[in-house]
Amino acid sequence: MKHFLSAKDMTRAEVLELFELTRQIKEDEVILEKRLFAANLFFEPSTRTKMSFMMAEKKLGIETLDFATESSSMKKGESLYDTVKTFEAIGADMFVIRHEADDWPEELIDQVNVPIFNAGAGKKEHPTQSLLDAYTIYEEYGSFENLNIVICGDILFSRVARSNAELLKKLGAKIFLMAPDDFKDDALDYPYISMDEATKIADVLMLLRIQLERHHASESLLNHYHSLYGLTKTRERNMKKEAIILHPAPVNRGVEIDTSLVECNRSRIFKQMTNGVYVREAIILTTLLKWGIIHENQIKKYNNFNGSRAQTIRCAN
Ligand code: CP
């Protein structure tokens, strides 16, 4: 059975089915009628992804096992694999893992017998982020056909750039990139354009954080980043009337984006975070079903307004 490590494995139809399930979960609260435990193992800092997964788990009725490396036996030299197998042995039904490595140990993938959800792998993949970004765009436009999506910033060191470009292209969007020379990744086969051009053609302007924890950008680049490559108030005025701004956050205010634009009418930055919870609920449900850990008759849907039990929800497998 497959872990949820990448959105690459998903077909276009599967992504759209996931979005339909997300829409249903947004409309009506969903809860599992089975006692389950999730282990959330974060080896890199996180606010959004960790709290969003925890919120999704709690909303589904899954109990959460939190973990801190500093107070764990990893400090005594225990490996990632042995740590995960320990959680599995004591009863974890699923794992959410963020780790600095691009590729995770094969034994972890092959020998862990409950699903692992990738919450960020090095600079390679962040599949739940790409799905929540795509869902936010889908809610806005209802389709990806003929949308110009420009991914801007630290392309080379960003796991979000890679995951998003691939997924959004699969869904039918036209992908463009904008980056200073130091942040370009020539392995990605999409046209690079300037920031001025990006702001003019974008239906979706997706800004990326400079990943200062992964490299040392020159002081001169940092000092001039906002005026040369950032979303300034002047550039924002040149955007298409209906165009929207996305950023996976955390945001370096005044660097990637003028601080006054973070919460402007075009910005969907906090909407992305809200949607992240629902998208993750949908991903967890779909994956647990595929693994046979839950069955459809254990997924109960409640009406958000009066809390009354509605019906069993149907998920695509
Ligand atoms: N977008 C994102 O991954 O944020 P966190 O690092 O806070 O999880």
Side-chain angles (χ1 to χ4, degrees), residues 167-205:
L167 178 69
L168 294 166
K169 184 182 171 195
K170 187 189 295 183
L171 293 170
K174 283 188 265 178
I175 307 299
F176 301 86
L177 305 176
M178 187 299 300
D181 285 345
D182 287 356
F183 296 164
K184 284 182 179 165
D185 182 353
D186 295 327
L188 290 178
D189 192 18
Y190 305 98
Y192 279 94
I193 58 176
S194 70
M195 191 58 178
D196 287 332
E197 206 181 334
T199 43
K200 279 184 200 140
I201 70 158
D203 297 298
V204 178
L205 192 72

mmCIF file of all heavy atoms in Angstrom, residues 167-205:
data_model
loop_
_atom_site.group_PDB
_atom_site.id
_atom_site.type_symbol
_atom_site.label_atom_id
_atom_site.label_comp_id
_atom_site.label_asym_id
_atom_site.label_seq_id
_atom_site.Cartn_x
_atom_site.Cartn_y
_atom_site.Cartn_z
ATOM 1 N N LEU A 167 2.092 19.743 -10.087
ATOM 2 C CA LEU A 167 0.666 19.473 -9.883
ATOM 3 C C LEU A 167 -0.205 20.419 -10.720
ATOM 4 O O LEU A 167 -1.150 19.993 -11.389
ATOM 5 C CB LEU A 167 0.310 19.624 -8.398
ATOM 6 C CG LEU A 167 -1.166 19.403 -8.072
ATOM 7 C CD1 LEU A 167 -1.556 17.936 -8.249
ATOM 8 C CD2 LEU A 167 -1.492 19.856 -6.658
ATOM 9 N N LEU A 168 0.128 21.710 -10.705
ATOM 10 C CA LEU A 168 -0.714 22.688 -11.393
ATOM 11 C C LEU A 168 -0.651 22.509 -12.905
ATOM 12 O O LEU A 168 -1.634 22.725 -13.610
ATOM 13 C CB LEU A 168 -0.303 24.108 -10.987
ATOM 14 C CG LEU A 168 -0.585 24.419 -9.505
ATOM 15 C CD1 LEU A 168 0.130 25.671 -9.055
ATOM 16 C CD2 LEU A 168 -2.086 24.538 -9.255
ATOM 17 N N LYS A 169 0.507 22.068 -13.408
ATOM 18 C CA LYS A 169 0.610 21.777 -14.846
ATOM 19 C C LYS A 169 -0.293 20.577 -15.180
ATOM 20 O O LYS A 169 -1.033 20.598 -16.167
ATOM 21 C CB LYS A 169 2.064 21.470 -15.212
ATOM 22 C CG LYS A 169 2.244 21.251 -16.693
ATOM 23 C CD LYS A 169 3.646 20.893 -17.044
ATOM 24 C CE LYS A 169 3.691 20.472 -18.505
ATOM 25 N NZ LYS A 169 4.910 19.778 -18.840
ATOM 26 N N LYS A 170 -0.231 19.567 -14.340
ATOM 27 C CA LYS A 170 -1.074 18.381 -14.561
ATOM 28 C C LYS A 170 -2.557 18.767 -14.598
ATOM 29 O O LYS A 170 -3.350 18.203 -15.339
ATOM 30 C CB LYS A 170 -0.822 17.387 -13.423
ATOM 31 C CG LYS A 170 -1.488 16.045 -13.608
ATOM 32 C CD LYS A 170 -1.410 15.165 -12.371
ATOM 33 C CE LYS A 170 -0.013 14.758 -11.995
ATOM 34 N NZ LYS A 170 0.036 13.849 -10.824
ATOM 35 N N LEU A 171 -2.914 19.777 -13.808
ATOM 36 C CA LEU A 171 -4.320 20.180 -13.730
ATOM 37 C C LEU A 171 -4.724 21.114 -14.873
ATOM 38 O O LEU A 171 -5.886 21.472 -15.000
ATOM 39 C CB LEU A 171 -4.591 20.846 -12.374
ATOM 40 C CG LEU A 171 -4.483 19.902 -11.171
ATOM 41 C CD1 LEU A 171 -4.524 20.678 -9.862
ATOM 42 C CD2 LEU A 171 -5.580 18.844 -11.197
ATOM 43 N N GLY A 172 -3.751 21.528 -15.683
ATOM 44 C CA GLY A 172 -4.094 22.293 -16.890
ATOM 45 C C GLY A 172 -3.631 23.733 -16.914
ATOM 46 O O GLY A 172 -3.896 24.448 -17.888
ATOM 47 N N ALA A 173 -2.963 24.194 -15.857
ATOM 48 C CA ALA A 173 -2.523 25.600 -15.816
ATOM 49 C C ALA A 173 -1.248 25.785 -16.634
ATOM 50 O O ALA A 173 -0.514 24.832 -16.892
ATOM 51 C CB ALA A 173 -2.286 26.024 -14.374
ATOM 52 N N LYS A 174 -1.001 27.056 -17.026
ATOM 53 C CA LYS A 174 0.269 27.412 -17.676
ATOM 54 C C LYS A 174 1.198 27.954 -16.584
ATOM 55 O O LYS A 174 0.840 28.906 -15.892
ATOM 56 C CB LYS A 174 0.041 28.484 -18.747
ATOM 57 C CG LYS A 174 -0.560 27.896 -20.027
ATOM 58 C CD LYS A 174 -0.592 28.932 -21.127
ATOM 59 C CE LYS A 174 -1.954 29.598 -21.131
ATOM 60 N NZ LYS A 174 -2.132 30.638 -22.101
ATOM 61 N N ILE A 175 2.368 27.334 -16.476
ATOM 62 C CA ILE A 175 3.277 27.677 -15.378
ATOM 63 C C ILE A 175 4.429 28.536 -15.887
ATOM 64 O O ILE A 175 5.067 28.211 -16.901
ATOM 65 C CB ILE A 175 3.869 26.390 -14.731
ATOM 66 C CG1 ILE A 175 2.754 25.423 -14.317
ATOM 67 C CG2 ILE A 175 4.773 26.738 -13.542
ATOM 68 C CD1 ILE A 175 1.797 25.949 -13.298
ATOM 69 N N PHE A 176 4.695 29.605 -15.169
ATOM 70 C CA PHE A 176 5.862 30.473 -15.414
ATOM 71 C C PHE A 176 6.620 30.602 -14.090
ATOM 72 O O PHE A 176 6.023 30.457 -13.014
ATOM 73 C CB PHE A 176 5.421 31.868 -15.876
ATOM 74 C CG PHE A 176 4.604 31.850 -17.138
ATOM 75 C CD1 PHE A 176 3.221 31.656 -17.080
ATOM 76 C CD2 PHE A 176 5.200 32.024 -18.379
ATOM 77 C CE1 PHE A 176 2.454 31.630 -18.243
ATOM 78 C CE2 PHE A 176 4.440 32.005 -19.547
ATOM 79 C CZ PHE A 176 3.075 31.803 -19.476
ATOM 80 N N LEU A 177 7.906 30.891 -14.214
ATOM 81 C CA LEU A 177 8.723 31.068 -13.017
ATOM 82 C C LEU A 177 9.360 32.452 -13.043
ATOM 83 O O LEU A 177 9.640 32.986 -14.117
ATOM 84 C CB LEU A 177 9.829 30.007 -12.942
ATOM 85 C CG LEU A 177 9.398 28.540 -13.010
ATOM 86 C CD1 LEU A 177 10.622 27.627 -13.019
ATOM 87 C CD2 LEU A 177 8.486 28.171 -11.840
ATOM 88 N N MET A 178 9.602 33.012 -11.868
ATOM 89 C CA MET A 178 10.344 34.266 -11.747
ATOM 90 C C MET A 178 11.319 34.075 -10.594
ATOM 91 O O MET A 178 10.904 33.678 -9.492
ATOM 92 C CB MET A 178 9.374 35.414 -11.432
ATOM 93 C CG MET A 178 9.940 36.809 -11.431
ATOM 94 S SD MET A 178 11.262 37.234 -10.278
ATOM 95 C CE MET A 178 10.513 36.935 -8.681
ATOM 96 N N ALA A 179 12.598 34.316 -10.842
ATOM 97 C CA ALA A 179 13.590 34.169 -9.770
ATOM 98 C C ALA A 179 14.837 34.963 -10.106
ATOM 99 O O ALA A 179 15.202 35.090 -11.283
ATOM 100 C CB ALA A 179 13.959 32.701 -9.582
ATOM 101 N N PRO A 180 15.535 35.469 -9.077
ATOM 102 C CA PRO A 180 16.881 36.001 -9.312
ATOM 103 C C PRO A 180 17.773 34.864 -9.796
ATOM 104 O O PRO A 180 17.475 33.685 -9.506
ATOM 105 C CB PRO A 180 17.334 36.461 -7.923
ATOM 106 C CG PRO A 180 16.138 36.416 -7.039
ATOM 107 C CD PRO A 180 15.135 35.513 -7.663
ATOM 108 N N ASP A 181 18.854 35.180 -10.498
ATOM 109 C CA ASP A 181 19.719 34.117 -11.066
ATOM 110 C C ASP A 181 20.139 33.101 -10.007
ATOM 111 O O ASP A 181 20.154 31.906 -10.267
ATOM 112 C CB ASP A 181 20.962 34.735 -11.714
ATOM 113 C CG ASP A 181 20.605 35.388 -13.047
ATOM 114 O OD1 ASP A 181 19.492 35.107 -13.558
ATOM 115 O OD2 ASP A 181 21.411 36.192 -13.547
ATOM 116 N N ASP A 182 20.464 33.587 -8.798
ATOM 117 C CA ASP A 182 20.946 32.687 -7.734
ATOM 118 C C ASP A 182 19.896 31.668 -7.302
ATOM 119 O O ASP A 182 20.220 30.657 -6.689
ATOM 120 C CB ASP A 182 21.333 33.488 -6.476
ATOM 121 C CG ASP A 182 22.619 34.254 -6.690
ATOM 122 O OD1 ASP A 182 23.243 34.104 -7.753
ATOM 123 O OD2 ASP A 182 22.995 35.029 -5.777
ATOM 124 N N PHE A 183 18.629 31.943 -7.576
ATOM 125 C CA PHE A 183 17.551 31.071 -7.107
ATOM 126 C C PHE A 183 16.884 30.306 -8.247
ATOM 127 O O PHE A 183 15.833 29.688 -8.059
ATOM 128 C CB PHE A 183 16.473 31.887 -6.379
ATOM 129 C CG PHE A 183 16.925 32.564 -5.115
ATOM 130 C CD1 PHE A 183 16.160 33.585 -4.554
ATOM 131 C CD2 PHE A 183 18.088 32.179 -4.455
ATOM 132 C CE1 PHE A 183 16.555 34.221 -3.383
ATOM 133 C CE2 PHE A 183 18.498 32.804 -3.287
ATOM 134 C CZ PHE A 183 17.729 33.830 -2.750
ATOM 135 N N LYS A 184 17.470 30.362 -9.446
ATOM 136 C CA LYS A 184 16.863 29.636 -10.572
ATOM 137 C C LYS A 184 17.239 28.162 -10.521
ATOM 138 O O LYS A 184 18.364 27.830 -10.138
ATOM 139 C CB LYS A 184 17.325 30.231 -11.909
ATOM 140 C CG LYS A 184 16.629 31.531 -12.223
ATOM 141 C CD LYS A 184 17.049 32.081 -13.568
ATOM 142 C CE LYS A 184 16.288 33.383 -13.838
ATOM 143 N NZ LYS A 184 16.848 34.166 -14.915
ATOM 144 N N ASP A 185 16.331 27.312 -10.907
ATOM 145 C CA ASP A 185 16.616 25.881 -10.997
ATOM 146 C C ASP A 185 16.423 25.490 -12.465
ATOM 147 O O ASP A 185 15.286 25.379 -12.937
ATOM 148 C CB ASP A 185 15.662 25.090 -10.097
ATOM 149 C CG ASP A 185 15.944 23.598 -10.128
ATOM 150 O OD1 ASP A 185 16.790 23.166 -10.944
ATOM 151 O OD2 ASP A 185 15.323 22.859 -9.350
ATOM 152 N N ASP A 186 17.548 25.287 -13.166
ATOM 153 C CA ASP A 186 17.452 25.017 -14.597
ATOM 154 C C ASP A 186 16.889 23.622 -14.883
ATOM 155 O O ASP A 186 16.534 23.317 -16.023
ATOM 156 C CB ASP A 186 18.821 25.207 -15.260
ATOM 157 C CG ASP A 186 19.263 26.669 -15.176
ATOM 158 O OD1 ASP A 186 18.358 27.539 -15.215
ATOM 159 O OD2 ASP A 186 20.471 26.935 -15.034
ATOM 160 N N ALA A 187 16.790 22.806 -13.847
ATOM 161 C CA ALA A 187 16.211 21.468 -14.054
ATOM 162 C C ALA A 187 14.691 21.549 -14.260
ATOM 163 O O ALA A 187 14.072 20.607 -14.742
ATOM 164 C CB ALA A 187 16.516 20.583 -12.849
ATOM 165 N N LEU A 188 14.113 22.685 -13.898
ATOM 166 C CA LEU A 188 12.661 22.832 -14.080
ATOM 167 C C LEU A 188 12.386 23.418 -15.468
ATOM 168 O O LEU A 188 12.924 24.472 -15.810
ATOM 169 C CB LEU A 188 12.070 23.743 -12.997
ATOM 170 C CG LEU A 188 12.038 23.181 -11.577
ATOM 171 C CD1 LEU A 188 11.462 24.212 -10.607
ATOM 172 C CD2 LEU A 188 11.213 21.910 -11.508
ATOM 173 N N ASP A 189 11.548 22.742 -16.212
ATOM 174 C CA ASP A 189 11.350 23.088 -17.614
ATOM 175 C C ASP A 189 10.141 24.024 -17.813
ATOM 176 O O ASP A 189 9.156 23.661 -18.449
ATOM 177 C CB ASP A 189 11.175 21.780 -18.411
ATOM 178 C CG ASP A 189 11.260 22.030 -19.905
ATOM 179 O OD1 ASP A 189 11.779 23.093 -20.291
ATOM 180 O OD2 ASP A 189 10.779 21.161 -20.664
ATOM 181 N N TYR A 190 10.228 25.215 -17.222
ATOM 182 C CA TYR A 190 9.174 26.218 -17.388
ATOM 183 C C TYR A 190 9.857 27.542 -17.703
ATOM 184 O O TYR A 190 10.969 27.787 -17.225
ATOM 185 C CB TYR A 190 8.348 26.375 -16.100
ATOM 186 C CG TYR A 190 7.758 25.073 -15.598
ATOM 187 C CD1 TYR A 190 8.395 24.356 -14.586
ATOM 188 C CD2 TYR A 190 6.587 24.552 -16.146
ATOM 189 C CE1 TYR A 190 7.879 23.152 -14.128
ATOM 190 C CE2 TYR A 190 6.064 23.358 -15.694
ATOM 191 C CZ TYR A 190 6.717 22.655 -14.692
ATOM 192 O OH TYR A 190 6.209 21.467 -14.250
ATOM 193 N N PRO A 191 9.196 28.436 -18.475
ATOM 194 C CA PRO A 191 9.857 29.698 -18.826
ATOM 195 C C PRO A 191 10.016 30.631 -17.626
ATOM 196 O O PRO A 191 9.114 30.742 -16.803
ATOM 197 C CB PRO A 191 8.907 30.314 -19.864
ATOM 198 C CG PRO A 191 7.622 29.594 -19.728
ATOM 199 C CD PRO A 191 7.882 28.271 -19.108
ATOM 200 N N TYR A 192 11.188 31.267 -17.563
ATOM 201 C CA TYR A 192 11.419 32.313 -16.559
ATOM 202 C C TYR A 192 11.030 33.662 -17.159
ATOM 203 O O TYR A 192 11.354 33.944 -18.312
ATOM 204 C CB TYR A 192 12.893 32.342 -16.147
ATOM 205 C CG TYR A 192 13.240 31.282 -15.115
ATOM 206 C CD1 TYR A 192 13.733 30.046 -15.507
ATOM 207 C CD2 TYR A 192 13.058 31.526 -13.755
ATOM 208 C CE1 TYR A 192 14.050 29.064 -14.555
ATOM 209 C CE2 TYR A 192 13.370 30.560 -12.805
ATOM 210 C CZ TYR A 192 13.861 29.342 -13.210
ATOM 211 O OH TYR A 192 14.158 28.383 -12.269
ATOM 212 N N ILE A 193 10.334 34.470 -16.359
ATOM 213 C CA ILE A 193 9.962 35.821 -16.798
ATOM 214 C C ILE A 193 10.361 36.807 -15.692
ATOM 215 O O ILE A 193 10.685 36.387 -14.585
ATOM 216 C CB ILE A 193 8.442 35.933 -17.113
ATOM 217 C CG1 ILE A 193 7.595 35.551 -15.879
ATOM 218 C CG2 ILE A 193 8.066 35.066 -18.313
ATOM 219 C CD1 ILE A 193 6.093 35.738 -16.101
ATOM 220 N N SER A 194 10.309 38.106 -16.014
ATOM 221 C CA SER A 194 10.683 39.110 -15.000
ATOM 222 C C SER A 194 9.506 39.322 -14.038
ATOM 223 O O SER A 194 8.366 38.938 -14.337
ATOM 224 C CB SER A 194 11.014 40.431 -15.688
ATOM 225 O OG SER A 194 9.810 40.989 -16.195
ATOM 226 N N MET A 195 9.783 39.972 -12.909
ATOM 227 C CA MET A 195 8.714 40.231 -11.933
ATOM 228 C C MET A 195 7.685 41.211 -12.505
ATOM 229 O O MET A 195 6.487 41.085 -12.246
ATOM 230 C CB MET A 195 9.307 40.755 -10.627
ATOM 231 C CG MET A 195 8.292 40.804 -9.485
ATOM 232 S SD MET A 195 7.556 39.168 -9.138
ATOM 233 C CE MET A 195 6.490 39.558 -7.765
ATOM 234 N N ASP A 196 8.155 42.173 -13.306
ATOM 235 C CA ASP A 196 7.196 43.120 -13.906
ATOM 236 C C ASP A 196 6.246 42.396 -14.858
ATOM 237 O O ASP A 196 5.042 42.638 -14.868
ATOM 238 C CB ASP A 196 7.945 44.240 -14.646
ATOM 239 C CG ASP A 196 8.598 45.205 -13.663
ATOM 240 O OD1 ASP A 196 8.067 45.344 -12.542
ATOM 241 O OD2 ASP A 196 9.649 45.778 -14.003
ATOM 242 N N GLU A 197 6.824 41.467 -15.649
ATOM 243 C CA GLU A 197 5.973 40.690 -16.564
ATOM 244 C C GLU A 197 5.044 39.778 -15.758
ATOM 245 O O GLU A 197 3.854 39.629 -16.080
ATOM 246 C CB GLU A 197 6.888 39.844 -17.475
ATOM 247 C CG GLU A 197 6.245 39.497 -18.801
ATOM 248 C CD GLU A 197 7.174 38.635 -19.643
ATOM 249 O OE1 GLU A 197 8.405 38.712 -19.467
ATOM 250 O OE2 GLU A 197 6.649 37.876 -20.463
ATOM 251 N N ALA A 198 5.590 39.175 -14.701
ATOM 252 C CA ALA A 198 4.802 38.246 -13.873
ATOM 253 C C ALA A 198 3.540 38.924 -13.349
ATOM 254 O O ALA A 198 2.439 38.373 -13.421
ATOM 255 C CB ALA A 198 5.649 37.748 -12.704
ATOM 256 N N THR A 199 3.710 40.122 -12.836
ATOM 257 C CA THR A 199 2.555 40.796 -12.230
ATOM 258 C C THR A 199 1.519 41.181 -13.291
ATOM 259 O O THR A 199 0.342 41.270 -12.985
ATOM 260 C CB THR A 199 2.997 42.041 -11.431
ATOM 261 O OG1 THR A 199 3.959 42.751 -12.183
ATOM 262 C CG2 THR A 199 3.599 41.645 -10.113
ATOM 263 N N LYS A 200 1.970 41.348 -14.527
ATOM 264 C CA LYS A 200 1.015 41.724 -15.588
ATOM 265 C C LYS A 200 0.232 40.516 -16.110
ATOM 266 O O LYS A 200 -0.957 40.618 -16.387
ATOM 267 C CB LYS A 200 1.759 42.383 -16.746
ATOM 268 C CG LYS A 200 2.040 43.838 -16.473
ATOM 269 C CD LYS A 200 2.686 44.516 -17.666
ATOM 270 C CE LYS A 200 3.385 45.776 -17.200
ATOM 271 N NZ LYS A 200 4.659 45.995 -17.835
ATOM 272 N N ILE A 201 0.901 39.353 -16.230
ATOM 273 C CA ILE A 201 0.214 38.231 -16.891
ATOM 274 C C ILE A 201 -0.464 37.263 -15.911
ATOM 275 O O ILE A 201 -1.300 36.460 -16.307
ATOM 276 C CB ILE A 201 1.165 37.417 -17.809
ATOM 277 C CG1 ILE A 201 2.179 36.620 -16.977
ATOM 278 C CG2 ILE A 201 1.846 38.300 -18.845
ATOM 279 C CD1 ILE A 201 2.740 35.435 -17.751
ATOM 280 N N ALA A 202 -0.112 37.346 -14.628
ATOM 281 C CA ALA A 202 -0.566 36.299 -13.690
ATOM 282 C C ALA A 202 -2.068 36.367 -13.403
ATOM 283 O O ALA A 202 -2.617 37.446 -13.177
ATOM 284 C CB ALA A 202 0.197 36.427 -12.381
ATOM 285 N N ASP A 203 -2.694 35.208 -13.427
ATOM 286 C CA ASP A 203 -4.016 35.070 -12.798
ATOM 287 C C ASP A 203 -3.806 34.691 -11.328
ATOM 288 O O ASP A 203 -4.609 35.050 -10.476
ATOM 289 C CB ASP A 203 -4.828 33.974 -13.506
ATOM 290 C CG ASP A 203 -5.086 34.341 -14.955
ATOM 291 O OD1 ASP A 203 -5.755 35.362 -15.193
ATOM 292 O OD2 ASP A 203 -4.577 33.634 -15.860
ATOM 293 N N VAL A 204 -2.726 33.942 -11.113
ATOM 294 C CA VAL A 204 -2.338 33.583 -9.742
ATOM 295 C C VAL A 204 -0.854 33.906 -9.593
ATOM 296 O O VAL A 204 -0.021 33.377 -10.326
ATOM 297 C CB VAL A 204 -2.553 32.077 -9.465
ATOM 298 C CG1 VAL A 204 -2.102 31.733 -8.043
ATOM 299 C CG2 VAL A 204 -4.009 31.673 -9.689
ATOM 300 N N LEU A 205 -0.544 34.791 -8.666
ATOM 301 C CA LEU A 205 0.849 35.134 -8.393
ATOM 302 C C LEU A 205 1.226 34.414 -7.104
ATOM 303 O O LEU A 205 0.710 34.749 -6.031
ATOM 304 C CB LEU A 205 0.989 36.642 -8.238
ATOM 305 C CG LEU A 205 2.408 37.169 -8.241
ATOM 306 C CD1 LEU A 205 3.029 37.083 -9.645
ATOM 307 C CD2 LEU A 205 2.444 38.627 -7.769
#
